[in-house]
Amino acid sequence: MSRVLVTYRVRAAAADIEAVAESLALEQSVETPRDVVRDAFVRDEVLGRVESIRSLDAEYHEVTLALSATTMGGDVAQTLNMLYGNSSLHAHVELIDARFPADFVRHFARPRFGIEGLRALCNAYDRPLTCAALKPQGLPVEALAELCYRFALGGVDLIKDDHGLADQTYSPFDARVRACQQAVLRANRETGRNTLYAPSMVGNPASLYAQARLLREEGVGAALVAPALIGMPVFEELVAAHLQVPVIAHPAYAGAARVAPAFLLGRLFRLFGADAVIYPNYGGRFAYSEAECRAIADNARAPWTGVRSALPVPAGGMTVARVPELVGCYGNEVMLLIGGSLLQAGDALEVRTREFVERVAVCAQQETAP
Amino acid sequence: MSRVLVTYRVRAAAADIEAVAESLALEQSVETPRDVVRDAFVRDEVLGRVESIRSLDAEYHEVTLALSATTMGGDVAQTLNMLYGNSSLHAHVELIDARFPADFVRHFARPRFGIEGLRALCNAYDRPLTCAALKPQGLPVEALAELCYRFALGGVDLIKDDHGLADQTYSPFDARVRACQQAVLRANRETGRNTLYAPSMVGNPASLYAQARLLREEGVGAALVAPALIGMPVFEELVAAHLQVPVIAHPAYAGAARVAPAFLLGRLFRLFGADAVIYPNYGGRFAYSEAECRAIADNARAPWTGVRSALPVPAGGMTVARVPELVGCYGNEVMLLIGGSLLQAGDALEVRTREFVERVAVCAQQETAP
């Protein structure tokens, strides 16, 4: 029977780690004392096995379990359950990584566009993509649409709603999406570009699926969704069955420090259908280290049989001045997202947006020079 | 405009805490630098306000923000977003509690049965309720149904599936639910009791809603659902629109240590519709302290205008020997759940189950004596 290899970082004394690892294997498979397992099928196939233990230091160990893929049944929620259901309640256990069998991934949505698909839509191949953010929430629909228009004139590839924009009375989803999409189309007619608008989709399944219908009706070009906020099972169903455009994953509520960000954002969000993955970049408002950010980007882009690459989108307090450094760090396979700093330009928003876009183009050219 | 008061535990130097609290208020409302906020409505109504700062020690502070309820729009995902969307990515910020305006709660499912409703269904008023767990996963349907039958003969009030039971090939959801429900009904006819069966519901929205249909068709008496696993927005929609029976919330995947368990399990799961809330009890397989467990139980049962009480269900490595202690700790308004330890009795399962049930009855009588 095919197995998923799941790696945890476990805090335990060296003398105890073998017993602790065995308990973990019970907890994440049969969830009973060992002596309750009397059935041969359960013992041979369902029971988790300790595959390896590697000590990191006196206190921390990397434990890899082999868990039966059949217990996960190709379902998102059940996969999370088997990876980290009860053990998430154990303070000494962190979920670090998982390796899935080749035939496992076909159960899930996976990126439908991926990096290549996004590039084709934006007609941009030899440079990082660029992204701006519509905010603050509380502005009326007309003000948001006007911002959209100016960002698009400035030439960014993608304009995303602030993830705080939902279906509030002051800028209802339907009216906002219609107005912003029209504003972007108007700018596109003037510039000849194909800037995409990605509205923020938030809600329960019924609302999300209604929002997806509106996106289709209006011909909206992308969608922004926070998988941890709406729930990963809904996210996957939304992507697989309701959205026909690239999906940008937002990290809101994903900051459960107990799941390694590179695994959660870079691998799971990708497996479940994100074409691009936003994450808090180092040196901004958030405390992720450069190494952690590189690991997220690496996981999002790494070759994975049957699963398209997803575009890394470092964000959170980025500025135009940092563009050369960011391109130096991530190369061209990235989308740079600048939010508040473009908005701070006030009336000069379009000019600063254009500076951003041009700076990216220049840095990219330098990078591909011999 | 009505405000939600949200409390965070923030790590910062005393000299910095005011600035850190102001940043938090920006992050959780407009998510832009302060100078981007030019619109009067946004400034007066949408912008988060620091309500109070209370220093816990030199390093930790309790920061309470007043956030606009309108930004949350009565939606589960958006409420999570405003409470802890981006700040979940900040290692120095933990979500501790929130107080909602009175008219806020009516947007959500809330317990439809609550403690009183559960007691009425079980016809048990003056003692803790009792619960056993069907496991390990991997057993065929007939073996699980047989366990159900024997647990029900033993006289527990509720039999819950192990949360690991989903829709696997070795015990498919439909066949399992039909067989277990029939087994419980057969036992009920023999005992004259009304033991309830709570199948574990896991999946994406489409599967969950199909599972709910089967529960209705089969007349199943309760449901076990892990809100963190399927996503809180789906959980709430499932309860509000698809289930007509009491809902037992399981804590799988809820162990994001960054949200206080008493708030997440005791208040949010309750607000979103749990009639009973399972949590890892102190002194078992999990490391929650007695104080933390009491706080979860307190929150689940506390008076809350417009929101029925939810029944606390301490669990995780409990034994019959601990019944007196547990009743001493929690009183009668509790459901005691014993899992693996009943199954360890093997052929004596029914006898040990009956011991469990009788021990609870005896302890409860003592407690209500003068």
Side-chain angles (χ1 to χ4, degrees), chain A residues 203-221:
Chain A
N204 59 18
S207 317
L208 289 167
Y209 302 160
Q211 291 170 12
R213 267 196 304 280
L214 185 81
L215 262 61
R216 287 196 299 275
E217 287 164 15
E218 295 293 313
V220 170

Side-chain angles (χ1 to χ4, degrees), chain A residues 69-337:
Chain A
T70 310
T71 62
M72 307 183 190
D75 178 74
V76 175
Q78 181 60 8
T79 299
L80 298 176
N81 199 9
M82 298 313 297
L83 294 185
Y84 202 44
N86 269 11
S87 294
S88 76
L89 301 160
H90 273 132
H92 64 281
V93 180
E94 289 163 89
L95 174 60
I96 297 300
D97 201 5
R99 275 160 293 160
F100 302 103
D103 60 347
F104 190 84
V105 301
R106 70 184 161 74
H107 296 294
F108 302 104
R110 294 163 287 158
R112 284 103 19 90
F113 295 83
I115 295 181
E116 278 183 49
L118 275 166
R119 287 197 177 284
L121 285 173
C122 300
N123 191 29
Y125 297 93
D126 304 318
R127 58 164 175 82
L129 301 186
T130 54
C131 180
L134 274 191
K135 49 187 173 182
Q137 63 161 298
L139 292 181
V141 164
E142 303 70 41
L144 292 168
E146 174 64 19
L147 283 176
C148 248
Y149 177 66
R150 292 163 68 201
F151 276 136
L153 284 186
V156 290
D157 297 306
L158 186 81
I159 301 167
K160 67 172 262 300
D161 277 352
D162 182 22
H163 75 283
L165 290 172
D167 188 23
Q168 294 105 337
T169 48
Y170 41 76
S171 56
F173 185 85
D174 287 18
R176 183 177 88 243
V177 170
R178 284 201 184 91
C180 289
Q181 173 64 10
Q182 287 308 314
V184 169
L185 289 181
R186 183 157 63 97
N188 284 349
R189 282 192 296 270
E190 297 176 28
T191 62
R193 288 174 177 274
N194 185 30
T195 295
L196 302 176
Y197 168 51
S200 164
M201 302 178 69
V202 182
N204 59 18
S207 317
L208 289 167
Y209 302 160
Q211 291 170 12
R213 267 196 304 280
L214 185 81
L215 262 61
R216 287 196 299 275
E217 287 164 15
E218 295 293 313
V220 170
L224 179 83
V225 191
L229 214 52
I230 65 168
M232 282 187 267
V234 193
F235 175 73
E236 201 267 352
E237 186 173 283
L238 179 68
V239 175
H242 299 269
L243 286 174
Q244 274 103 45
V245 293
V247 173
I248 321 298
H250 190 281
Y253 206 69
R258 317 276 312 290
V259 182
F263 176 60
L264 184 61
L265 306 180
R267 289 180 72 83
L268 281 187
F269 284 10
R270 175 181 172 191
L271 176 62
F272 298 151
D275 295 288
V277 180
I278 300 176
Y279 58 90
N281 199 39
Y282 67 94
R285 293 202 308 277
F286 299 85
Y288 282 30
S289 70
E290 185 174 339
E292 218 156 15
C293 292
R294 281 181 193 269
I296 295 170
D298 287 349
N299 273 356
R301 297 184 294 201
W304 187 354
T305 307
V307 185
R308 290 188 184 84
S309 297
L311 196 61
V313 189
M318 293 300 101
T319 58
V320 176
R322 286 191 64 191
V323 165
E325 174 206 347
L326 296 176
V327 179
C329 175
Y330 294 110
N332 279 355
E333 295 293 16
V334 69
M335 184 186 304
L336 300 182
L337 164 53

Side-chain angles (χ1 to χ4, degrees), chain A residues 1 27-39 41-42 46 68 70-73 75-78 80-82 84-92 95 135-140 160 162-170 200 202-207 209 228-234 236-237 250-259 264-265 268 280 285-288 340-341 343-347, chain B residues 1 27-39 41-42 46 68 70-73 75-78 80-82 84-92 95 135-140 160 162-170 200 202-207 209 228-234 236-237 250-259 264-265 268 280 285-288 340-341 343-347:
Chain A
M1 185 178 291
E27 193 71 59
Q28 286 308 117
S29 59
V30 293
E31 208 212 334
T32 61
R34 182 72 179 74
D35 60 354
V36 166
V37 179
R38 296 187 189 86
D39 183 279
F41 172 78
V42 177
V46 173
S68 156
T70 310
T71 62
M72 307 183 190
D75 178 74
V76 175
Q78 181 60 8
L80 298 176
N81 199 9
M82 298 313 297
Y84 202 44
N86 269 11
S87 294
S88 76
L89 301 160
H90 273 132
H92 64 281
L95 174 60
K135 49 187 173 182
Q137 63 161 298
L139 292 181
K160 67 172 262 300
D162 182 22
H163 75 283
L165 290 172
D167 188 23
Q168 294 105 337
T169 48
Y170 41 76
S200 164
V202 182
N204 59 18
S207 317
Y209 302 160
L229 214 52
I230 65 168
M232 282 187 267
V234 193
E236 201 267 352
E237 186 173 283
H250 190 281
Y253 206 69
R258 317 276 312 290
V259 182
L264 184 61
L265 306 180
L268 281 187
R285 293 202 308 277
F286 299 85
Y288 282 30
S341 158
L343 293 162
Q344 279 178 309
D347 292 341
Chain B
M1 186 177 291
E27 193 71 59
Q28 286 309 115
S29 57
V30 293
E31 208 213 332
T32 63
R34 183 71 179 76
D35 59 355
V36 167
V37 180
R38 297 188 188 85
D39 183 279
F41 172 78
V42 176
V46 173
S68 156
T70 310
T71 62
M72 307 181 191
D75 178 73
V76 174
Q78 181 60 8
L80 298 175
N81 199 8
M82 298 313 297
Y84 203 43
N86 268 10
S87 294
S88 75
L89 301 160
H90 273 133
H92 64 282
L95 174 60
K135 49 188 173 181
Q137 62 161 299
L139 293 182
K160 66 171 263 299
D162 182 23
H163 75 282
L165 290 172
D167 188 23
Q168 293 106 337
T169 48
Y170 42 77
S200 164
V202 183
N204 59 18
S207 317
Y209 302 160
L229 213 53
I230 64 168
M232 283 188 266
V234 194
E236 202 266 351
E237 185 173 284
H250 191 281
Y253 206 68
R258 316 278 310 291
V259 182
L264 184 60
L265 306 179
L268 281 187
R285 292 202 309 277
F286 299 86
Y288 282 31
S341 158
L343 293 161
Q344 280 178 307
D347 292 342

Side-chain angles (χ1 to χ4, degrees), chain B residues 152-226:
Chain B
L153 284 185
V156 290
D157 296 306
L158 186 81
I159 301 166
K160 66 171 263 299
D161 276 352
D162 182 23
H163 75 282
L165 290 172
D167 188 23
Q168 293 106 337
T169 48
Y170 42 77
S171 56
F173 185 85
D174 287 20
R176 182 177 88 244
V177 169
R178 284 202 183 90
C180 288
Q181 173 65 9
Q182 287 308 314
V184 169
L185 289 180
R186 182 157 65 96
N188 283 349
R189 281 191 297 271
E190 296 176 28
T191 62
R193 289 174 175 273
N194 185 30
T195 295
L196 302 176
Y197 168 52
S200 164
M201 301 178 68
V202 183
N204 59 18
S207 317
L208 289 166
Y209 302 160
Q211 290 171 11
R213 268 197 302 281
L214 185 81
L215 262 62
R216 286 197 299 276
E217 286 163 14
E218 294 293 313
V220 170
L224 179 84
V225 191

